[in-house]
Amino acid sequence: MWLGAAWPDQPGTVSLTSSTACDLRPALIWSTRPRAVLSMIRLSMSRYPVAVGLAVLAAAGVGHAATDSPGDAALFAPYIGHWACEGHFASSNKPIASTVSFTRALAGKGIIKTQDDVPTLGNYHSVETWAFDAKAGQWVAGIVDSSGGMRTFHSPGQVGGKLAWTLVDGQPAQQFVYSPVSSGEFQLDWLIERPGKGLVVGDTLTCTHLAGVS
């Protein structure tokens, strides 16, 4: 997975102030100096990953409306649980492997996803918060990763059985595409824009459900 830090082209707000060392509360303006709070983000990611993911959603404009919206995360129910994923980079065929988990959040109206590469095959680690933006009528994912990258993706939900997340206001263009869960498996493709080629597969993973893992 690509690890670049994707800072917004336009300033937004993010919940990053604290009354203690790494407490996250809605107050700090993430405006003209986002990199000034990067060190706090990196430290907080390891201690309060869910809060940081919610902060990214705040920066994208998803506030209280997300928890009060009619958006129902039940459509993501087949993905709930823990998964062992294996795949490869498309350009080099180099193998990659990750553990992925999905849990319900926001009183059933959101999802928290974590992804951690198997150490011998990669170093990508991320936390994602999925929530419904009632005003925009679409799903929003805030993704923070271990390199300090922060990205926001939008999705209309499942279309044709697939769930596609598209990067908001970032370059190069990116997508994450989830196939439907079938027989305890799903496929996750990461697509990235290449000059003259449009969106192409950067890496692909096949994920198998781990029954009985808590």
Side-chain angles (χ1 to χ4, degrees):
M1 303 294 181
W2 181 76
L3 300 183
W7 298 104
D9 294 329
Q10 300 295 327
T13 59
V14 71
S15 309
L16 289 175
T17 56
S18 63
S19 58
T20 57
C22 294
D23 184 22
L24 299 177
R25 300 180 182 179
L28 183 64
I29 300 299
W30 180 19
S31 54
T32 59
R33 299 182 61 198
R35 296 181 186 275
V37 297
L38 181 54
S39 59
M40 181 185 294
I41 294 170
R42 286 173 172 163
L43 180 60
S44 299
M45 279 169 58
S46 63
R47 299 185 181 182
Y48 301 93
V50 173
V52 175
L54 291 171
V56 175
L57 291 180
V62 181
H64 293 291
T67 58
D68 298 330
S69 76
D72 188 351
L75 76 161
F76 306 128
Y79 299 98
I80 297 298
H82 301 274
W83 305 78
C85 306
E86 296 183 346
H88 62 274
F89 290 102
S91 60
S92 64
N93 211 36
K94 178 183 175 182
I96 51 176
S98 301
T99 56
V100 173
S101 68
F102 298 86
T103 57
R104 293 179 179 86
L106 301 174
K109 295 185 178 181
I111 295 290
I112 301 297
K113 175 197 168 187
T114 61
Q115 181 169 343
D116 295 283
D117 276 358
V118 173
T120 56
L121 294 176
N123 60 359
Y124 180 79
H125 305 275
S126 67
V127 176
E128 305 181 19
T129 307
W130 301 0
F132 188 73
D133 183 345
K135 185 175 181 180
Q138 62 186 344
W139 291 89
V140 180
I143 304 179
V144 290
D145 62 55
S146 51
S147 73
M150 303 179 68
R151 292 172 285 170
T152 303
F153 289 74
H154 285 169
S155 174
Q158 289 183 327
V159 177
K162 292 189 176 182
L163 173 65
W165 294 97
T166 301
L167 180 66
V168 178
D169 298 331
Q171 293 295 330
Q174 299 173 54
Q175 274 190 338
F176 289 101
V177 179
Y178 294 75
S179 72
V181 174
S182 177
S183 300
E185 289 188 347
F186 72 88
Q187 182 171 312
L188 171 56
D189 294 329
W190 170 63
L191 290 80
I192 184 168
E193 185 178 27
R194 300 298 188 194
K197 296 182 179 180
L199 286 170
V200 299
V201 175
D203 66 45
T204 184
L205 289 169
T206 298
C207 299
T208 302
H209 187 248
L210 298 174
V213 176
S214 60

